[in-house]
Amino acid sequence: EIVLTQSPGTLSLSPGERATLSCRASQSVSSSYLAWYQQKPGQAPRLLIYGASNRATGIPDRFSGSGSGTDFTLTISRLEPEDFAVYYCQQYGNSPPGFTFGPGTKVDIK
Amino acid sequence: EVQLVESGGGLIQPGGSLRLSCAASGFTVSSNYMSWVRQAPGKGLEWVSVIYSGGTTYYSDSVKGRFTISRDNSKNTLYLQMNSLRAEDTAVYHCARVRISWGILDFWGQGTLVTVSS
Protein backbone atom coordinates (compact mmCIF):
# COMPACT_ATOMS: atom_id res chain seq x y z
CA GLU A 1 0.00 0.00 0.00
CA ILE A 2 1.36 3.38 -1.01
CA VAL A 3 1.43 6.07 1.69
CA LEU A 4 1.50 9.75 0.75
CA THR A 5 3.20 12.29 3.00
CA GLN A 6 2.69 16.02 2.55
CA SER A 7 4.86 18.81 3.83
CA PRO A 8 4.72 21.20 5.43
CA GLY A 9 1.59 20.60 7.45
CA THR A 10 0.87 24.31 7.47
CA LEU A 11 2.29 27.03 5.27
CA SER A 12 1.83 30.63 6.43
CA LEU A 13 2.26 33.11 3.61
CA SER A 14 1.07 36.51 2.46
CA PRO A 15 -0.94 37.27 -0.69
CA GLY A 16 1.39 37.65 -3.64
CA GLU A 17 3.94 35.18 -2.28
CA ARG A 18 4.90 31.88 -3.87
CA ALA A 19 3.71 28.64 -2.28
CA THR A 20 5.54 25.36 -2.73
CA LEU A 21 3.80 22.22 -1.43
CA SER A 22 5.41 18.79 -1.36
CA CYS A 23 3.91 15.32 -1.70
CA ARG A 24 6.13 12.29 -1.18
CA ALA A 25 5.08 8.69 -1.86
CA SER A 26 6.37 5.65 0.02
CA GLN A 27 7.06 3.97 -3.33
CA SER A 28 7.12 5.05 -6.94
CA VAL A 29 3.82 6.39 -8.31
CA SER A 30 2.84 6.64 -11.94
CA SER A 31 2.79 10.33 -12.82
CA SER A 32 -0.41 9.68 -14.73
CA TYR A 33 -2.12 8.86 -11.47
CA LEU A 34 -1.00 11.74 -9.23
CA ALA A 35 -3.47 14.56 -8.61
CA TRP A 36 -3.93 17.61 -6.41
CA TYR A 37 -7.14 18.98 -4.89
CA GLN A 38 -8.05 22.21 -3.11
CA GLN A 39 -10.59 22.27 -0.30
CA LYS A 40 -12.04 25.32 1.42
CA PRO A 41 -13.99 25.12 4.70
CA GLY A 42 -17.47 23.72 4.22
CA GLN A 43 -16.87 22.96 0.56
CA ALA A 44 -16.24 19.87 -1.49
CA PRO A 45 -12.71 19.26 -2.75
CA ARG A 46 -11.95 20.70 -6.19
CA LEU A 47 -9.64 19.03 -8.68
CA LEU A 48 -6.66 21.27 -9.51
CA ILE A 49 -4.00 19.11 -11.17
CA TYR A 50 -4.07 15.65 -12.71
CA GLY A 51 -1.37 13.55 -14.28
CA ALA A 52 1.08 15.35 -11.97
CA SER A 53 1.24 18.46 -14.16
CA ASN A 54 -2.03 19.00 -16.07
CA ARG A 55 -4.34 21.75 -14.89
CA ALA A 56 -8.00 20.82 -14.63
CA THR A 57 -10.61 22.82 -16.51
CA GLY A 58 -10.93 26.38 -15.26
CA ILE A 59 -7.87 26.28 -12.99
CA PRO A 60 -5.75 29.47 -13.23
CA ASP A 61 -2.23 29.16 -14.58
CA ARG A 62 -0.71 30.35 -11.29
CA PHE A 63 -1.22 26.71 -10.22
CA SER A 64 1.33 24.25 -11.53
CA GLY A 65 2.34 20.70 -10.71
CA SER A 66 5.56 18.83 -11.25
CA GLY A 67 7.47 15.77 -10.17
CA SER A 68 7.84 12.08 -10.82
CA GLY A 69 8.57 8.83 -9.05
CA THR A 70 8.14 9.50 -5.36
CA ASP A 71 8.40 13.30 -5.20
CA PHE A 72 5.76 15.70 -6.45
CA THR A 73 5.23 19.43 -6.02
CA LEU A 74 2.31 21.83 -6.28
CA THR A 75 3.34 25.43 -6.83
CA ILE A 76 1.14 28.50 -6.57
CA SER A 77 3.16 31.26 -8.22
CA ARG A 78 1.45 34.24 -6.59
CA LEU A 79 -1.09 33.62 -3.86
CA GLU A 80 -4.48 35.22 -4.30
CA PRO A 81 -6.83 35.68 -1.32
CA GLU A 82 -9.03 32.83 -2.57
CA ASP A 83 -6.08 30.40 -2.59
CA PHE A 84 -5.88 30.09 1.19
CA ALA A 85 -7.20 26.57 1.70
CA VAL A 86 -6.14 22.99 2.35
CA TYR A 87 -4.43 21.09 -0.48
CA TYR A 88 -4.39 17.32 -0.84
CA CYS A 89 -2.37 15.11 -3.13
CA GLN A 90 -3.91 11.83 -4.26
CA GLN A 91 -2.73 8.77 -6.11
CA TYR A 92 -4.66 5.97 -7.78
CA GLY A 93 -3.53 2.40 -7.55
CA ASN A 94 -4.95 -0.51 -9.50
CA SER A 95 -3.67 -3.44 -7.49
CA PRO A 96 -6.03 -3.49 -5.68
CA PRO A 97 -7.97 -0.56 -7.15
CA GLY A 98 -8.36 2.41 -4.88
CA PHE A 99 -7.48 6.01 -4.12
CA THR A 100 -5.02 7.25 -1.51
CA PHE A 101 -4.88 10.80 -0.20
CA GLY A 102 -2.12 12.64 1.57
CA PRO A 103 -2.88 14.25 4.94
CA GLY A 104 -3.07 17.73 3.42
CA THR A 105 -1.21 21.02 3.62
CA LYS A 106 -3.02 24.04 4.98
CA VAL A 107 -2.05 27.32 3.36
CA ASP A 108 -3.05 30.14 5.64
CA ILE A 109 -2.61 33.88 5.74
CA LYS A 110 0.47 35.12 7.53
CA GLU B 1 -23.95 21.15 -15.87
CA VAL B 2 -22.61 18.29 -13.79
CA GLN B 3 -24.15 18.14 -10.33
CA LEU B 4 -24.01 15.62 -7.48
CA VAL B 5 -26.32 15.94 -4.48
CA GLU B 6 -25.97 13.63 -1.49
CA SER B 7 -28.66 12.88 1.06
CA GLY B 8 -29.50 10.39 3.76
CA GLY B 9 -27.07 11.34 6.48
CA GLY B 10 -28.01 11.80 10.10
CA LEU B 11 -27.49 10.62 13.66
CA ILE B 12 -27.39 6.85 14.09
CA GLN B 13 -26.52 4.61 17.00
CA PRO B 14 -23.51 2.30 16.90
CA GLY B 15 -24.40 -0.96 15.18
CA GLY B 16 -27.12 0.70 13.13
CA SER B 17 -27.60 1.02 9.38
CA LEU B 18 -28.00 3.95 7.02
CA ARG B 19 -28.30 4.34 3.26
CA LEU B 20 -26.81 7.36 1.55
CA SER B 21 -27.97 8.57 -1.86
CA CYS B 22 -26.19 10.65 -4.46
CA ALA B 23 -28.42 12.07 -7.19
CA ALA B 24 -26.54 12.96 -10.35
CA SER B 25 -27.43 15.33 -13.15
CA GLY B 26 -25.62 16.42 -16.27
CA PHE B 27 -24.17 12.96 -16.92
CA THR B 28 -25.12 9.28 -16.69
CA VAL B 29 -24.04 7.46 -13.53
CA SER B 30 -24.13 4.01 -15.13
CA SER B 31 -21.70 5.06 -17.88
CA ASN B 32 -19.12 6.28 -15.39
CA TYR B 33 -17.05 5.00 -12.52
CA MET B 34 -18.35 6.51 -9.27
CA SER B 35 -16.87 6.68 -5.81
CA TRP B 36 -17.55 7.59 -2.19
CA VAL B 37 -14.99 9.51 -0.14
CA ARG B 38 -15.42 10.49 3.50
CA GLN B 39 -13.94 13.11 5.77
CA ALA B 40 -14.09 12.82 9.54
CA PRO B 41 -14.59 16.14 11.38
CA GLY B 42 -11.41 18.18 11.17
CA LYS B 43 -9.56 15.39 9.36
CA GLY B 44 -8.40 14.58 5.86
CA LEU B 45 -9.97 12.72 2.97
CA GLU B 46 -10.42 8.94 3.04
CA TRP B 47 -11.50 6.90 0.03
CA VAL B 48 -14.35 4.48 0.82
CA SER B 49 -15.57 2.66 -2.29
CA VAL B 50 -15.78 2.66 -6.09
CA ILE B 51 -18.19 1.13 -8.57
CA TYR B 52 -17.14 0.63 -12.16
CA SER B 53 -19.44 1.20 -15.10
CA GLY B 54 -19.58 -2.56 -15.55
CA GLY B 55 -20.71 -3.02 -11.96
CA THR B 56 -17.48 -4.22 -10.33
CA THR B 57 -17.03 -2.80 -6.84
CA TYR B 58 -14.09 -2.22 -4.50
CA TYR B 59 -13.87 -1.07 -0.90
CA SER B 60 -11.31 0.24 1.54
CA ASP B 61 -10.27 -2.24 4.21
CA SER B 62 -11.93 -0.08 6.87
CA VAL B 63 -15.43 -0.63 5.44
CA LYS B 64 -15.14 -3.94 3.58
CA GLY B 65 -17.89 -6.33 4.58
CA ARG B 66 -19.99 -3.57 6.17
CA PHE B 67 -20.66 -1.09 3.33
CA THR B 68 -22.15 -1.75 -0.11
CA ILE B 69 -22.00 0.61 -3.08
CA SER B 70 -24.69 0.36 -5.72
CA ARG B 71 -26.61 2.43 -8.25
CA ASP B 72 -30.08 2.76 -9.72
CA ASN B 73 -29.75 3.46 -13.41
CA SER B 74 -33.39 4.51 -13.79
CA LYS B 75 -32.92 7.19 -11.13
CA ASN B 76 -29.36 8.12 -12.13
CA THR B 77 -28.47 7.74 -8.47
CA LEU B 78 -25.56 6.24 -6.55
CA TYR B 79 -26.01 4.65 -3.12
CA LEU B 80 -23.94 3.61 -0.14
CA GLN B 81 -25.53 1.11 2.21
CA MET B 82 -23.75 1.29 5.56
CA ASN B 83 -24.27 -1.49 8.12
CA SER B 84 -22.74 -2.21 11.52
CA LEU B 85 -21.84 1.44 11.90
CA ARG B 86 -19.10 2.44 14.33
CA ALA B 87 -18.15 5.73 15.96
CA GLU B 88 -15.16 5.94 13.63
CA ASP B 89 -17.50 6.02 10.62
CA THR B 90 -18.60 9.51 11.68
CA ALA B 91 -17.79 11.76 8.73
CA VAL B 92 -19.07 13.83 5.86
CA TYR B 93 -19.58 11.43 2.96
CA HIS B 94 -18.97 12.79 -0.53
CA CYS B 95 -19.84 11.08 -3.78
CA ALA B 96 -17.62 11.80 -6.74
CA ARG B 97 -17.33 10.98 -10.41
CA VAL B 98 -14.19 9.10 -11.38
CA ARG B 99 -12.08 9.66 -14.47
CA ILE B 100 -10.29 6.32 -14.40
CA SER B 101 -7.99 7.14 -17.32
CA TRP B 102 -6.24 9.58 -14.99
CA GLY B 103 -7.27 8.00 -11.68
CA ILE B 104 -8.98 11.17 -10.52
CA LEU B 105 -12.20 12.34 -8.91
CA ASP B 106 -13.23 15.17 -11.18
CA PHE B 107 -16.59 16.24 -9.75
CA TRP B 108 -17.67 16.04 -6.12
CA GLY B 109 -20.87 16.52 -4.23
CA GLN B 110 -21.06 18.75 -1.15
CA GLY B 111 -21.48 15.74 1.10
CA THR B 112 -23.84 14.48 3.78
CA LEU B 113 -22.91 14.18 7.45
CA VAL B 114 -23.18 10.84 9.21
CA THR B 115 -22.82 10.87 12.99
CA VAL B 116 -22.55 7.55 14.80
CA SER B 117 -23.17 8.05 18.48
CA SER B 118 -25.28 6.75 21.31
Side-chain angles (χ1 to χ4, degrees):
Chain A
E1 178 190 345
I2 294 177
V3 176
L4 299 178
T5 303
Q6 292 185 242
S7 61
T10 302
L11 195 53
S12 296
L13 295 168
S14 300
E17 289 193 296
R18 181 184 188 90
T20 302
L21 287 67
S22 172
C23 176
R24 180 161 291 177
S26 58
Q27 54 187 281
S28 186
V29 170
S30 167
S31 296
S32 297
Y33 290 153
L34 193 288
W36 292 89
Y37 299 82
Q38 176 193 67
Q39 188 179 31
K40 298 178 183 179
Q43 295 187 17
R46 176 174 73 147
L47 177 67
L48 293 178
I49 300 287
Y50 65 95
S53 60
N54 301 288
R55 276 187 300 276
T57 302
I59 301 304
D61 60 7
R62 64 179 180 273
F63 291 92
S64 63
S66 63
S68 63
T70 60
D71 290 296
F72 298 87
T73 301
L74 174 69
T75 301
I76 311 171
S77 59
R78 286 178 56 86
L79 282 164
E80 297 287 340
E82 62 268 27
D83 299 337
F84 292 92
V86 179
Y87 293 84
Y88 295 95
C89 59
Q90 170 254 310
Q91 71 91 27
Y92 172 75
N94 52 23
S95 186
F99 300 83
T100 303
F101 292 92
T105 289
K106 182 178 182 180
V107 179
D108 65 13
I109 300 176
K110 188 173 182 180
Chain B
E1 179 190 6
V2 171
Q3 195 169 13
L4 294 166
V5 179
E6 301 93 336
S7 61
L11 176 63
I12 187 77
Q13 291 190 337
S17 297
L18 210 55
R19 189 180 80 157
L20 307 182
S21 300
C22 169
S25 56
F27 73 101
T28 303
V29 165
S30 61
S31 299
N32 285 269
Y33 290 26
M34 298 293 296
S35 198
W36 288 95
V37 176
R38 68 184 181 183
Q39 187 168 32
K43 303 297 184 182
L45 302 169
E46 180 190 12
W47 173 73
V48 172
S49 181
V50 64
I51 183 167
Y52 289 0
S53 52
T56 301
T57 59
Y58 294 96
Y59 302 89
S60 65
D61 287 344
S62 60
V63 307
K64 197 175 299 181
R66 301 187 298 124
F67 290 11
T68 302
I69 189 172
S70 64
R71 66 191 181 215
D72 184 329
N73 298 344
S74 67
K75 296 182 178 179
N76 208 33
T77 297
L78 179 74
Y79 299 103
L80 186 68
Q81 177 67 44
M82 304 185 296
N83 298 331
S84 304
L85 282 161
R86 307 166 179 167
E88 55 265 35
D89 295 318
T90 294
V92 173
Y93 285 73
H94 297 275
C95 63
R97 188 177 74 175
V98 176
R99 278 286 172 255
I100 202 64
S101 54
W102 292 102
I104 57 175
L105 303 145
D106 66 346
F107 280 100
W108 297 62
Q110 285 293 102
T112 186
L113 175 62
V114 174
T115 303
V116 185
S117 174
S118 55

